[in-house]
Amino acid sequence: KWLIHMFFVFYKLDVMFLDQEMAIIDMKKSIWPFSVHLHKGLAKYVIELEDGSLDKYGVKIGDRSARRFNRTSDSVFISSAI
């Protein structure tokens, strides 16, 4: 399970949940500031992106994510389950 809280985050984020092979198994678009989202899936990694990035890059469930983003211009944060 993953709990994403947006406490003291003052902008919306897009979030991708990935399995051990870096395939996208779930996505949440435009998570609002000061909100909480609980993901009950079997994700191994979570990637937080700038709001609108999922639509900008046409990301879909099943895609392998890492190659789509230009790391010099897009804000990307990757977190791993222990």
Side-chain angles (χ1 to χ4, degrees), residues 39-54:
H39 175 74
K40 296 181 182 179
L42 299 174
K44 171 101 173 140
Y45 305 98
V46 174
I47 300 179
E48 298 175 354
L49 301 158
E50 209 174 324
D51 184 39
S53 293
L54 295 175

Side-chain angles (χ1 to χ4, degrees), residues 1-75:
K1 293 181 184 178
W2 288 87
L3 178 67
I4 296 175
H5 72 79
M6 299 286 288
F7 304 142
F8 304 104
V9 177
F10 299 100
Y11 46 88
K12 295 186 284 184
L13 292 174
D14 287 352
V15 177
M16 298 186 298
F17 298 91
L18 291 80
D19 65 13
Q20 66 278 0
E21 297 174 7
M22 299 298 283
I24 300 168
I25 58 173
D26 195 13
M27 302 181 298
K28 296 297 173 198
K29 296 179 182 179
S30 299
I31 297 178
W32 282 87
F34 294 94
S35 66
V36 175
H37 173 74
L38 177 63
H39 175 74
K40 296 181 182 179
L42 299 174
K44 171 101 173 140
Y45 305 98
V46 174
I47 300 179
E48 298 175 354
L49 301 158
E50 209 174 324
D51 184 39
S53 293
L54 295 175
D55 289 333
K56 177 180 176 181
Y57 291 102
V59 177
K60 297 180 184 108
I61 301 285
D63 286 351
R64 301 240 187 270
S65 66
R67 289 170 263 182
R68 287 200 184 236
F69 302 100
N70 176 351
R71 297 187 190 276
T72 60
S73 64
D74 295 308
S75 176

